[in-house]
Each structure stands twice: as structure tokens, then as C-alpha cells.
């Protein structure tokens, strides 16, 4: 329990940019585990378009991040889309935005945990696949318990996972590109000839339709970028500078990871498997000849699965805060705006977790 009269209480609970990047930015960064894969799979035989997906993805990440940085400047007390829509477009637009955000955060928890199960079970025997759903449910229950204890406690607990993910993926992407530098020339020459062949077989509109379909299916890459703007209340003063710095960390890390994975898929000619994720196949391909290759690939993908668990945390941080803002405006029962004795949004955490399990 927290002492509400402690003058340094908020300072103890608030997050500096690094911890905010972990607690709020993990959702955005972890989406690189499934967004680029969905987009790359959608290309089918036309993998030469992956280079354009890498560029489009990076550009989109920076555009969205810049937009949210502007929102942080104008709405430094948080609330994100709900507060912005309510103040600028009216209460009806606000409740529509708030409802969409609640669905988004419930699905953030669900999809992140499901993708976490996929990543981890990529290294387990196929016969174990039926147990994946029970593993997923256990993880959601674990996050509910952590978040009922407090946001900073949960973020501090999950911080080492985030750092391992960042280090292993920088190494995997960097090694994947640098070790295949001699192949970049032939690959790009092949892209040019394949592009011309694809243009002849699909036509300009057909190729554009294929690219846009892949780009839209990879849209999961952009989920979570809004988390910082929604969670400004838990950032340390000066909040605007802390929020903008966190947005920069998130944008650079997500753009590098997503576009780097596209390049690695292309350079190593990664083909989708039935029970393994593309990143698991990529790690096994890169480290296959090493003495510690299997262990390194395992740590890389386990950190990916673990970061998806951290990414689900954003749903538990921001979902209840959206509910609290909506409860103040009487769109939800007022009890959703009240805090427990640990100063957590007890009712919101339970509802988000319950909806995700369902």
C-alpha cells in the first residue's frame, strides 16, 4: 500500500524516458516481431518488393511518431486520442475514439501474448502445440497480478527482458546485413530484373495492389506508437520533454528493427515455415554453423517472445487510463476512475485482462 500523504510519492512512481521506453515503447518495438512477417508473407513469390516495404514502413513510423510528438506538446496531461478527439471534435467523436482505443488495447494484450506463444513454441516440439493456449492464458494472469501491484513495479521487473531483446536483435540484424554485404550487389540487381518481370506479369495496378495489401497486413507494426501520448500521466517532469524523448527512442528503434528485418529476409532468402516464425527461421539460418548457434538463436527468439509479453503491458497501462478519462466524463461507471490502495486502476486492469482472456 502507498502513503497518499508522501510528498515524494509521484516522483517514486513516475517513469524517466528509459523506463517509459520500456513500459510504453515495448508495445511498439515488440510489434516488429509479427508486423514485418505478416507483410513479407503476403508478398508470396514477389519478395523483391520487400525493399519498398522496408522504406515505406520506416517512413510511416517516423510520420506517426512526429504526429504524436505534436499531440504531446498540445495535450501534455495525456489521454491520447480520446482527449484530443473530445476537445477538438466534440464528445461524440471522443467516445468513438475512446471505444476504439479500448478495443485496440484489449487486442494489444491478446495479439502480443498470442505472438509470444508462437515465438516460444517455435523451438518446442510440434506435439506441444495444443498446450500453447494454456501458456497464453497463464501469461495474461501473470500480467494482471503484476499490474495490480503497480506500474513501476511491473516495468522494473520487465526491464531486463527489453534490454536483452534490443541487444540480440541489433546483433542479429547487424550481423545479417554485414555478413551478406558481398551479396547486396547481386540481390539488388536481382530486384531490378524481378521487378521488371513482375511488372510484365502483374501489370502496374496489380503490383501496386499486391504491395498495398502486404503493407496493410503489416500494419500491426505501427500499433503501440500512441502509447506514450496516452500515458503521459505516469511520466516524470518535465513531461513534454520526457514524452518527446521517449517517442524518439521508440521511432528510431522500431524503424531500425522493422526495416532491418525486411532486409535480412531478402538477403538470406528466408521462406515461411509451418510452425516456426520467420524470425526463428532467420536466427537459425544465421547462426546454424556456429558452435553456440542454437543457444544464440534460442535466446534471440525467447527474448522476442518475452518482449511481446512486455508489449502486452502497454494495454494494461493505457487501457485503464482511457477508461478513467471516459469514466470522469460519465461514459463509463465512475469506479473506473478510482485507485486502489496501491494507487493502481484496479477495475480497469481486471476488465482489460478479462477481455483479453475471453
Amino acid at each position: 500500500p502507498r502513503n497518499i500523504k508522501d510528498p515524494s510519492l509521484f516522483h517514486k512512481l513516475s517513469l524517466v524516458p528509459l523506463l517509459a521506453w520500456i513500459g510504453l515503447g515495448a508495445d511498439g518495438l515488440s510489434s516488429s516481431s509479427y508486423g514485418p512477417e505478416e507483410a513479407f508473407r503476403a508478398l508470396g513469390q514477389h519478395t523483391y518488393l520487400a525493399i519498398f516495404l522496408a522504406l515505406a514502413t520506416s517512413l510511416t513510423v517516423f510520420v506517426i511518431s512526429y504526429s504524436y510528438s505534436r499531440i504531446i506538446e498540445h495535450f501534455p496531461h495525456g489521454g491520447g486520442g480520446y482527449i484530443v478527439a473530445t476537445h477538438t471534435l466534440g464528445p461524440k467523436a471522443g467516445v468513438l475514439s475512446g471505444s476504439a482505443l479500448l478495443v485496440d488495447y484489449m487486442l494489444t494484450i491478446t495479439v502480443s501474448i498470442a505472438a509470444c506463444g508462437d515465438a516460444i513454441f517455435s523451438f518446442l516440439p510440434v506435439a506441444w502445440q495444443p498446450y500453447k493456449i494454456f501458456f497464453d492464458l497463464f501469461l495474461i494472469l501473470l500480467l494482471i497480478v503484476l499490474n495490480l501491484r503497480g506500474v513501476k513495479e511491473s516495468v522494473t521487473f520487465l526491464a531486463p527482458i527489453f534490454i536483452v531483446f534490443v541487444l540480440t536483435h541489433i546483433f542479429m540484424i547487424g550481423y545479417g546485413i554485414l555478413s551478406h554485404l558481398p551479396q547486396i550487389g547481386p540481390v539488388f540487381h536481382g530486384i531490378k530484373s524481378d521487378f521488371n518481370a513482375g511488372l510484365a506479369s502483374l501489370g502496374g495496378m496489380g503490383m501496386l495492389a499486391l504491395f498495398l495489401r502486404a503493407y496493410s497486413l503489416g500494419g500491426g507494426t505501427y500499433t503501440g506508437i500512441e502509447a506514450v501520448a496516452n500515458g503521459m500521466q505516469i511520466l516524470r517532469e518535465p513531461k513534454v520533454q520526457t514524452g518527446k524523448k521517449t517517442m524518439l527512442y521508440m521511432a528510431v528503434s522500431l524503424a531500425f528493427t522493422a526495416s532491418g528485418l525486411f532486409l535480412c529476409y531478402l538477403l538470406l532468402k528466408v521462406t515461411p515455415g509451418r510452425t516456426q516464425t520467420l524470425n526463428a527461421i532467420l536466427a537459425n539460418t544465421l547462426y546454424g554453423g556456429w558452435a553456440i548457434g542454437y543457444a544464440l538463436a534460442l535466446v534471440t527468439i525467447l527474448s522476442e517472445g518475452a518482449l511481446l509479453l512486455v508489449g502486452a503491458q502497454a494495454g494494461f497501462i493505457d487501457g485503464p487510463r482511457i477508461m478513467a478519462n471516459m469514466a470522469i466524463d460519465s461514459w463509463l461507471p465512475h469506479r473506473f476512475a478510482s485507485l486502489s490502495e496501491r494507487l493502481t486502476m484496479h477495475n480497469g486492469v481486471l476488465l482489460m485482462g478479462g477481455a483479453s482472456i475471453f
Side-chain angles (χ1 to χ4, degrees):
R2 301 288 187 178
N3 178 12
I4 197 74
K5 295 179 181 178
D6 180 359
S8 63
L9 179 62
F10 181 75
H11 189 78
K12 291 176 183 174
L13 295 175
S14 62
L15 303 180
V16 296
L18 182 62
L19 286 179
W21 181 37
I22 295 168
L24 299 172
D27 179 23
L29 188 55
S30 68
S31 62
S32 65
S33 302
Y34 51 82
E37 173 167 350
E38 288 298 320
F40 192 79
R41 283 176 181 270
L43 293 177
Q45 301 299 313
H46 302 274
T47 53
Y48 53 87
L49 291 175
I51 188 68
F52 303 107
L53 279 176
L55 294 171
T57 299
S58 295
L59 178 63
T60 306
V61 167
F62 282 114
V63 168
I64 295 173
S65 299
Y66 176 73
S67 301
Y68 276 111
S69 292
R70 299 289 291 167
I71 285 176
I72 287 169
E73 288 177 9
H74 292 285
F75 296 88
H77 299 295
Y82 171 70
I83 297 294
V84 173
T86 301
H87 283 232
T88 58
L89 300 174
K92 289 183 179 177
V95 73
L96 183 66
S97 175
S99 300
L101 281 166
L102 291 182
V103 174
D104 169 38
Y105 284 124
M106 182 271 289
L107 287 173
T108 289
I109 298 168
T110 306
V111 173
S112 295
I113 294 296
C116 171
D118 286 343
I120 290 172
F121 275 71
S122 290
F123 279 88
L124 295 176
V126 177
W128 290 31
Q129 290 290 321
Y131 302 107
K132 188 162 61 178
I133 185 70
F134 300 105
F135 176 73
D136 294 346
L137 297 180
F138 166 75
L139 292 182
I140 296 176
L141 289 171
L142 175 66
L143 284 178
I144 290 173
V145 172
L146 279 174
N147 281 279
L148 290 176
R149 291 186 57 79
V151 170
K152 187 159 186 184
E153 282 77 1
S154 60
V155 171
T156 306
F157 172 79
L158 297 168
I161 295 170
F162 185 88
I163 293 164
V164 172
F165 173 92
V166 170
L167 293 177
T168 54
H169 281 67
I170 287 174
F171 181 76
M172 181 173 74
I173 293 167
Y175 176 68
I177 293 172
L178 293 175
S179 65
H180 288 74
L181 280 178
Q183 288 96 313
I184 286 181
V187 165
F188 276 86
H189 181 73
I191 288 172
K192 185 178 179 182
S193 58
D194 288 343
F195 182 86
N196 291 330
L199 202 58
S201 61
L202 295 174
M205 289 303 294
M207 185 174 286
L208 181 62
L210 176 65
F211 174 79
L212 290 177
R213 180 174 183 274
Y215 175 76
S216 62
L217 285 172
T221 307
Y222 317 118
T223 186
I225 298 177
E226 79 291 339
V228 179
N230 289 344
M232 291 293 289
Q233 300 96 325
I234 59 171
L235 300 188
R236 186 160 296 178
E237 297 287 357
K239 289 186 180 182
V240 172
Q241 283 75 13
T242 301
K244 291 175 76 172
K245 193 176 288 186
T246 306
M247 285 299 313
L248 180 63
Y249 292 168
M250 185 192 291
V252 172
S253 58
L254 178 56
F256 169 80
T257 308
S259 58
L261 286 171
F262 277 124
L263 278 175
C264 286
Y265 296 158
L266 195 59
L267 287 170
L268 279 85
K269 297 180 172 60
V270 175
T271 53
R274 194 167 63 87
T275 59
Q276 284 193 313
T277 64
L278 280 186
N279 289 356
I281 297 168
L282 174 63
N284 282 325
T285 305
L286 275 174
Y287 307 138
W290 295 22
I292 57 166
Y294 179 79
L296 189 54
L298 183 62
V299 169
T300 301
I301 302 306
L302 284 181
S303 73
E304 196 170 279
L307 188 73
L308 285 158
L309 176 66
V310 183
Q313 171 70 5
F316 283 107
I317 292 176
D318 282 340
R321 293 189 180 280
I322 298 293
M323 287 186 198
N325 286 322
M326 294 178 74
I328 290 168
D329 295 336
S330 297
W331 291 114
L332 286 170
H334 288 163
R335 69 174 70 93
F336 283 103
S338 63
L339 298 174
S340 71
E341 64 178 3
R342 291 183 183 275
L343 300 189
T344 63
M345 292 177 177
H346 183 272
N347 294 302
V349 168
L350 290 176
L351 186 59
M352 293 302 292
S356 301
I357 287 172
F358 181 74

